[in-house]
Amino acid sequence: MTAITVPAVLPERRGHTAARRRSLRPGVVLGLAFIGLLAVAAAAPGLLTAHDPLEISSAGAFVPPGAEHLLGTDQSGRDTLARMVYGARSSLVMGLGATAIAVTLGSAIGLLAGLANRYVEGAVMRLIDVALSIPDLLLALVVITLLGTGTVNALFAVAFASVPYYARMIRAQTHVVRSAAYVEAATALGLRRSAVIRRHILPNAFKPLVVLATIGVGNAIGAGASLSFLGLGTKPPAPEWGNMLSLGIQYISNDPFMVIVPGVAITLTVLSVTVVGRDLRRRTEGRS
Amino acid sequence: MRQLKRIATRFAAGVGVLWGAATLSFAALHVTAGDAALATVAGDGANPTQAVLDRVRADYGLDQPLWQQYLGYLGRLLQGDLGESYQQRVPVATAIGEQLGETVQLALSAALVAVVLAVGTAVLTARRRPWIRSAASGTELVLTSFPTFVLGLVLLIVFSFQAGWFPVSGNDGPAALVLPTFTLALPIAATLSQVLRTELEEVLEQPFILTARSRGMRDAGVRLRHALRHALIQIVTMSGFVIGGLLGGAVITETLFVRRGVGQLMLTATTSKDIPLVLGVVLFAAAVYVVVNLVVDIVYGLIDPRVVTA
């Protein structure tokens, strides 16, 4: 089944001049700005909202957007903006945490496959084929069935579901680098195998990982929100965009705002990270 | 001969993937088997005696040596026996079979819509003026960034609650199928169309396209008769991605639109920790993936003989 694989990153059209490559596109600037805003919300939510995400306002439930509650209140009278701001932390922790775990595990497995003998490599690659034959979300649901629901388990589920992609990429990259002239030269110069791996193979095999991992953070945020939406991840009353959205559906006809606000936030987050990741790829690919 | 040998190799690889999936599934069942026996008898705070537990363990074959359990499991799988659901007390295969029709209907219509949209957009926008390409690729980027449930909600708000054209939920009739179909299809269509346009633009730069144009062939003819035929091969290789998107997306789409189907079954099984049912759906998904990829591999070799000789 290895012959048929989806390109993990889509091919970009050639022909960019060096100047165009260096220039900052407006979309990228907007993306970076939004990511910056999220980072502030996650690090210091108090800067962006005066309300507590769990506090019940004296103004009551379903208050429309106004001066006191900029995005209104939800069905329990909690400030929607405060819940969004505090929810940013959950999203970023999910995106960065799941990706960090997936990259670490995936790289270890990919390196093992790329550098070990062909029997080990064959076994590892078959395992990766098995994992890739199962849709990501179903794989995540298996992990949740075994571990149980909740924030941490959802994070592990999202991480495990993306491990095979990183493993496959690192293994392929290790192969490319291993047969490169500079690695042969280093070996010919009498460098020890461990030194060749550490000094030459590792840094070069990891180059494209940065791009893939950046786009992966966006996907992980979307996947984490999906799991919370399905009721398997972070549970209410903790503020999380996915569960805010699934709660909002019940009140969609009298207050669509409760659905629109978290929906827009999730989409903008994934979009921003993807735009920045693709720009990163455009830059790195142009250089090599 | 070469063709046959290639198919045989692919077939073996497919069987290998399924065997691996079955082995992992067995491992997962085995690790959780203690819970299984308890879950069977310990409903509602019951306090089973050791004798009862032993009998349940014997019923599930948990007292046999491991290799015997493993071979028995593989043998039953070969006969299409995926075990029994802990919660529903029916064979997993029956539970999936009952829900399959609805999901197949949804997945097939979504696949059709996705391919038609992707081919249409790519053919119309490849190598056109920059603003047309930017508009198309911008839309695609936004669509691929929409998590399925957000996209579905947008469609629900606009077309059900505001316009009132389609029912909000349920399985009744073709009208109820429209919004779930587009929810499932649009992100897939966007990705396919990105890949297809890149491919089309490469093909349109080939010398044989220039030849066709110099014969006086019209632009539409060149695009459809020559370029599309080459570019479609790229779509065929993405069938694995499409299946993953359809089956994973079905869980979310069916939940959002409150539809019966395998996706809904999978979610219920996950929340109730019905491990045999969860693993059954996963094995089923892997089998679909393997079979479709095998068919695609065979078709691919027939369309493009270079694959065989390479």
Side-chain angles (χ1 to χ4, degrees):
Chain A
M1 290 294 128
T2 41
I4 292 181
T5 44
V6 185
V9 276
L10 297 168
E12 195 101 16
R13 282 188 60 71
R14 307 237 173 277
H16 293 294
T17 61
R20 274 187 69 189
R21 217 184 298 123
R22 273 195 300 273
S23 69
L24 263 180
R25 296 175 171 185
V28 178
V29 176
L30 287 176
L32 284 171
F34 191 74
I35 295 171
L37 184 68
L38 288 182
V40 172
L47 284 181
L48 297 175
T49 175
H51 291 282
D52 183 284
L54 297 175
E55 161 203 281
I56 291 166
S57 165
S58 51
F62 300 119
V63 172
E68 174 64 20
H69 300 286
L70 288 175
L71 292 174
T73 62
D74 66 4
Q75 84 290 347
S76 313
R78 295 171 298 197
D79 184 69
T80 302
L81 178 64
R83 295 184 66 72
M84 291 303 299
V85 169
Y86 281 85
R89 185 179 290 172
S90 312
S91 284
L92 287 193
V93 167
M94 169 58 80
L96 295 174
T99 307
I101 295 174
V103 165
T104 311
L105 274 178
S107 305
I109 295 171
L111 279 176
L112 176 73
L115 296 173
N117 65 43
R118 61 194 181 94
Y119 297 105
V120 175
E121 174 168 21
V124 173
M125 288 314 291
R126 295 295 80 76
L127 266 179
I128 293 178
D129 282 345
V130 170
L132 289 174
S133 74
I134 300 163
D136 297 0
L137 183 67
L138 296 196
L139 213 50
L141 291 187
V142 173
V143 175
I144 287 181
T145 311
L146 296 178
L147 297 181
T149 58
T151 310
V152 177
N153 291 340
L155 192 141
F156 279 119
V158 171
F160 287 147
S162 49
V163 164
Y165 297 96
Y166 294 109
R168 186 179 59 176
M169 200 274 283
I170 287 291
R171 178 247 174 200
Q173 199 61 23
T174 311
H175 269 266
V176 172
V177 176
R178 203 168 64 168
S179 49
Y182 58 82
V183 170
E184 276 175 24
T187 315
L189 282 172
L191 221 59
R192 266 177 295 115
R193 189 172 148 78
S194 62
V196 174
I197 292 175
R198 193 160 33 82
R199 298 242 312 261
H200 296 286
I201 296 184
L202 282 188
N204 287 297
F206 278 94
K207 255 186 200 164
L209 186 65
V210 178
V211 172
L212 195 64
T214 308
I215 296 176
V217 169
N219 291 337
I221 291 175
S226 302
L227 289 178
S228 291
F229 168 78
L230 293 174
L232 304 171
T234 305
K235 301 248 165 68
E240 200 273 348
W241 298 346
N243 77 40
M244 285 174 71
L245 215 152
S246 91
L247 204 68
I249 291 180
Q250 299 166 34
Y251 309 99
I252 196 169
S253 43
N254 49 359
D255 190 4
F257 236 75
M258 280 182 64
V259 172
I260 294 170
V261 171
V264 167
I266 297 168
T267 309
L268 278 183
T269 307
V270 180
L271 185 64
S272 302
V273 178
T274 309
V275 167
V276 170
R278 287 193 184 186
D279 189 64
L280 207 58
R281 182 181 62 210
R282 191 172 58 99
R283 285 158 193 276
T284 50
E285 275 184 1
R287 208 180 301 139
S288 59
Chain B
M1 234 13 248
R2 266 221 167 107
Q3 189 75 264
L4 273 182
K5 201 179 155 200
R6 200 178 63 90
I7 293 171
T9 320
R10 292 275 172 254
F11 184 76
V15 171
V17 166
L18 285 181
W19 177 48
T23 306
L24 289 182
S25 161
F26 173 77
L29 275 172
H30 184 75
V31 168
T32 57
D35 299 341
L38 270 175
T40 311
V41 286
D44 299 332
N47 196 6
T49 61
Q50 193 58 41
V52 174
L53 268 182
D54 284 346
R55 210 187 63 230
V56 174
R57 293 177 68 82
D59 282 349
Y60 280 98
L62 296 173
D63 51 347
Q64 292 170 353
L66 195 57
W67 61 270
Q68 223 167 7
Q69 289 183 41
Y70 177 60
L71 289 182
Y73 179 74
L74 288 185
R76 288 195 299 279
L77 279 187
L78 282 179
Q79 295 161 23
D81 177 2
L82 293 166
E84 187 176 279
S85 154
Y86 289 161
Q87 297 290 326
Q88 303 193 11
R89 297 259 158 260
V90 292
V92 168
T94 312
I96 295 177
E98 279 169 359
Q99 304 291 330
L100 195 56
E102 305 284 353
T103 303
V104 167
Q105 203 181 19
L106 176 64
L108 282 183
S109 53
L112 186 70
V113 169
V115 169
V116 169
L117 278 179
V119 169
T121 320
V123 167
L124 287 174
T125 56
R127 279 179 71 81
R128 297 284 190 206
R129 284 183 205 91
W131 70 267
I132 297 182
R133 290 191 62 242
S134 310
S137 57
T139 312
E140 286 155 8
L141 184 62
V142 173
L143 281 178
T144 49
S145 300
F146 262 121
T148 309
F149 60 102
V150 180
L151 178 65
L153 277 168
V154 172
L155 295 179
L156 260 180
I157 292 176
V158 176
F159 295 104
S160 279
F161 290 102
Q162 302 292 327
W165 294 347
F166 302 106
V168 173
S169 59
N171 290 57
D172 309 319
L177 192 62
V178 174
L179 291 184
T181 297
F182 276 86
T183 303
L184 205 49
L186 284 176
I188 297 174
T191 307
L192 288 183
S193 143
Q194 282 175 331
V195 174
L196 192 57
R197 183 171 45 248
T198 311
E199 191 69 13
L200 264 179
E201 290 182 337
E202 242 154 59
V203 174
L204 284 171
E205 282 170 12
Q206 298 292 316
F208 72 87
I209 295 291
L210 193 65
T211 312
R213 287 195 200 281
S214 65
R215 283 205 314 266
M217 199 167 183
R218 279 207 216 119
D219 185 52
V222 170
R223 279 168 189 267
L224 291 174
R225 292 250 334 255
H226 292 290
L228 186 61
R229 252 161 81 175
H230 283 78
L232 270 184
I233 292 175
Q234 194 65 32
I235 287 279
V236 172
T237 61
M238 290 186 71
S239 52
F241 156 81
V242 173
I243 292 170
L246 289 174
L247 291 177
V251 178
I252 291 169
T253 310
E254 289 174 358
T255 306
L256 180 62
F257 290 93
V258 202
R259 288 176 64 85
R260 288 187 303 278
V262 178
Q264 187 73 259
L265 183 73
M266 176 75 181
L267 181 61
T268 318
T270 304
T271 29
S272 59
K273 284 192 161 281
D274 196 337
I275 295 165
L277 191 48
V278 168
L279 294 174
V281 175
V282 167
L283 284 181
F284 174 75
V288 172
Y289 177 91
V290 164
V291 169
V292 171
N293 268 341
L294 190 62
V295 171
V296 162
D297 255 334
I298 294 170
V299 174
Y300 199 34
L302 296 179
I303 311 175
D304 189 354
R306 287 172 300 181
V307 178
V308 184
T309 46

